Amino acid sequence: MSVMQWTLEGFLREAAGPAPTPGGGSASAYSGALAAAMLCMAARLTTGESVGEKDLQRAASVEREAAACLQRLQEGVSRDIAVFDAFMETMRLPRATETEKQERAAKLRLAYFDATESPLTIAENTLRVIELACVLAPVCNKNVVSDVGVAASLALGSFNAALWSVEINLASMLQDKDYVTQVRAKCRGWQDTAVKRNVEAATLVSRRI
């Protein structure tokens, strides 16, 4: 059974269990998907004659983008588990001979790359959810503006969580200095944006409550 077919109770039970998956990456994707879902709901409930045409179009645009983020974050839950499983298989490769050591090292390098890119994708999508919350907060149905705040708050937590998974993998990739430098610079830029846009979203939501 696919992880996305698990019940919420089942996911939490597995996450709390002794197995290493679902781990931090999957948890950040799952909570990010919840954030995107809240944004979709708020956008879909922004309807009626009291809402101007431009605001309706803006809400519809947010709904489409949030739904796309939701889909990618759902996929991220399963993908992070698959990436970790593949990484562990690579760790178990034989290394009795020099050839085996070289082959294992090459495959391990690729495994670390995959294990870094997976949470990076999660972070990118949760950042987009925060940005979309800033777009929706001023125009959404006032009755669901708090849900937009929930979406932004959950997304920020998911974003920060995903970056921990990125960093722990980068710490084992120091031989790829250019890649590590590039990713860390990207993450710093994303962090600045995430903090600023989250404050913006909170301010916009608070004004309407």
Side-chain angles (χ1 to χ4, degrees), residues 31-132:
S31 57
L34 283 174
M38 287 295 94
L39 211 57
C40 286
M41 179 193 72
R44 287 168 178 161
L45 288 174
T46 301
T47 59
E49 295 180 358
S50 62
V51 183
E53 184 60 31
K54 288 185 178 180
D55 290 346
L56 284 173
Q57 291 176 0
R58 190 178 301 180
S61 176
V62 168
E63 189 277 323
R64 287 192 296 271
E65 281 205 61
C69 288
L70 173 57
Q71 179 63 37
R72 289 191 289 267
L73 287 163
Q74 283 181 274
E75 293 168 353
V77 176
S78 300
R79 181 170 184 264
D80 199 78
I81 292 174
V83 165
F84 182 84
D85 288 344
F87 174 83
M88 292 306 297
E89 287 183 16
T90 304
M91 290 290 287
R92 289 191 287 267
L93 288 174
R95 44 183 169 170
T97 68
E98 190 60 35
T99 298
E100 288 176 344
K101 289 179 182 178
Q102 292 177 1
E103 290 178 351
R104 180 180 179 275
K107 290 181 180 179
L108 194 57
R109 183 181 180 187
L110 293 176
Y112 271 117
F113 175 82
D114 288 342
T116 303
E117 290 295 315
S118 176
L120 265 180
T121 300
I122 295 166
E124 183 176 20
N125 280 281
T126 50
L127 174 58
R128 186 56 185 153
V129 171
I130 299 171
E131 292 173 334
L132 290 170

